[in-house]
């Protein structure tokens, strides 16, 4: 996991979801790809995906249940998980989560 992104553009306006429980900023890369960098405060939320995603955990602890699964997996700083396109996942943040969401082109 890289600790910084160089030569990028950042959208100033924050993405606010779930009454401010999730706050992120969009980062645009020269190759046309994008990522979001943000935090999710302790909560239990369900996210829907358009594109496939890899969620990289920088700090915090969460439990993830992917759509169609009955069990959750716990993730900590330094770990990541993948979510398929056109799907969803439930996230329970046990402590404030610092993350990077990598969107994967089809």
């Amino acid at each position: 996991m890289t600790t910084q992104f160089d030569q990028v553009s950042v959208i100033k306006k924050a993405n606010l979801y779930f009454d401010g429980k999730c706050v992120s900023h969009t980062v645009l890369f020269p190759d046309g790809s994008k990522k979001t960098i943000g935090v999710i405060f302790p909560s239990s939320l369900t996210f829907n995906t358009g594109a496939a995603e890899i969620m990289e955990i920088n700090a915090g602890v969460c439990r993830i249940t992917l759509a169609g699964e009955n069990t959750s997996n716990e993730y900590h700083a330094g770990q990541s998980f993948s979510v398929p396109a056109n799907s969803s996942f439930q996230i329970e943040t046990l402590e404030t989560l610092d993350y990077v969401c990598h969107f994967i082109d089809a």
Side-chain angles (χ1 to χ4, degrees):
M1 286 191 234
T2 183
T3 58
Q4 72 181 43
F5 299 121
D6 297 321
Q7 301 175 358
V8 298
S9 296
V10 177
I11 305 299
K12 291 187 339 181
K13 183 170 175 42
N15 305 305
L16 299 173
Y17 302 102
F18 303 104
D19 296 322
K21 291 181 180 89
C22 178
V23 181
S24 69
H25 285 273
T26 302
V27 180
L28 305 172
F29 289 77
D31 66 0
S33 64
K34 75 175 184 174
K35 302 181 188 311
T36 56
I37 298 175
V39 294
I40 303 174
F41 297 101
S43 55
S44 183
L45 309 169
T46 300
F47 285 89
N48 296 307
T49 63
E53 303 176 0
I54 297 173
M55 292 285 290
E56 174 186 331
I57 311 303
N58 294 321
V61 179
C62 65
R63 286 191 191 112
I64 302 298
T65 306
L66 297 174
E69 294 189 5
N70 294 324
T71 59
S72 63
N73 292 302
E74 192 167 286
Y75 295 91
H76 300 262
Q79 296 182 305
S80 64
F81 62 92
S82 298
V83 183
N86 303 310
S87 186
S88 66
F89 65 97
Q90 183 174 12
I91 184 168
E92 179 185 2
T93 51
L94 305 175
E95 43 185 75
T96 300
L97 197 73
D98 175 4
Y99 73 90
V100 176
C101 180
H102 306 262
F103 296 97
I104 310 302
D105 292 330

